[in-house]
Amino acid sequence: NGSSFNINHLCIYRWAEFASTVDHNFILTPLVWQRFFALYLQRPFLDHSMPERGSLGLKLFTANWAQTIRREMKTAISNTCKDIQKEIESLNNDIREGEETKEHILVLNFLPRYLRYYQTLKLWIQEPRLHEETLFLPGLPQQYDPDRLARVFLTKQEDWIEFLRVWEVGETIRVMIHEWAQIASYQKPLPSQTESHDASPDTAASRIQKRLS
């Protein structure tokens, strides 16, 4: 159900600061940016649930302190684009030197889409026309991703999981389990605990590994 832009949306500043400071290598960073732009570009709704033309997000960043946050977001997106381009170049160099692996191919298939995503966000944060009442979405260049913009305006969108490095989740879990097992192996039980531990040698790390196996 639609509702007008209200005081609850002022959390946009927290999302803006979070987005501008979070490491882009953090797996959920694309969803952080999605949440920010959902608030920044959202069009207010009338009582009859028809969207008004024009969004209010840009007007919330007119104060000097808010403009500073907006500049920091622009810088963060630009730096992320540069980092992704460097990563692509590095992987291509590895392949040219004969170091091609399945992971290289997987990442290289993902990174161009990931780069286009941040290039689109850069256009969204810079373009004041996106907030105008007279905006004609079909007239925007494809670099703006008009179809996605339309869903953002109407708050009709799923999580943008296509921009997540999902293959890293399993690896992260395996590393955490390995580290936990190492820590547990170095823990020495107190004398009073030795008897109970001997009777029940099953450790927390082994129980986690059994559940995930």
Side-chain angles (χ1 to χ4, degrees), residues 45-157:
F45 281 72
L46 297 172
D47 292 339
H48 49 75
S49 297
M50 293 297 292
E52 294 179 353
R53 299 182 65 86
S55 58
L56 304 178
L58 188 60
K59 296 178 181 178
L60 296 175
F61 286 84
T62 55
N64 290 337
W65 62 269
Q67 289 181 24
T68 298
I69 296 175
R70 189 163 171 266
R71 284 194 296 271
E72 290 172 349
M73 286 189 291
K74 291 180 182 180
T75 300
I77 295 173
S78 295
N79 289 340
T80 297
C81 289
K82 293 176 183 177
D83 289 343
I84 297 172
Q85 288 170 331
K86 290 179 181 177
E87 188 176 358
I88 293 174
E89 293 172 2
S90 176
L91 289 171
N92 282 326
N93 288 335
D94 289 345
I95 291 177
R96 282 193 292 268
E97 294 174 1
E99 300 180 12
E100 181 176 335
T101 65
K102 290 183 179 179
E103 183 178 355
H104 280 86
I105 301 302
L106 176 66
V107 178
L108 276 176
N109 286 335
F110 167 79
L111 286 180
R113 179 172 72 249
Y114 195 49
L115 177 58
R116 287 193 297 271
Y117 166 72
Y118 279 99
Q119 289 171 333
T120 296
L121 297 188
K122 187 175 181 180
L123 293 173
W124 288 3
I125 195 71
Q126 291 177 337
E127 183 56 74
R129 287 185 300 166
L130 301 184
H131 304 269
E132 295 177 355
E133 297 179 358
T134 56
L135 176 66
F136 181 61
L137 272 176
L140 290 174
Q142 283 302 310
Q143 294 93 321
Y144 284 82
D145 201 347
D147 292 338
R148 191 180 302 276
L149 267 177
R151 296 194 296 273
V152 172
F153 288 160
L154 298 175
T155 64
K156 294 180 179 179
Q157 53 182 323

Side-chain angles (χ1 to χ4, degrees), residues 15-30:
W15 283 104
E17 291 180 331
F18 187 21
S20 64
T21 57
V22 67
D23 188 339
H24 77 85
N25 288 316
F26 175 51
I27 191 171
L28 297 181
T29 298

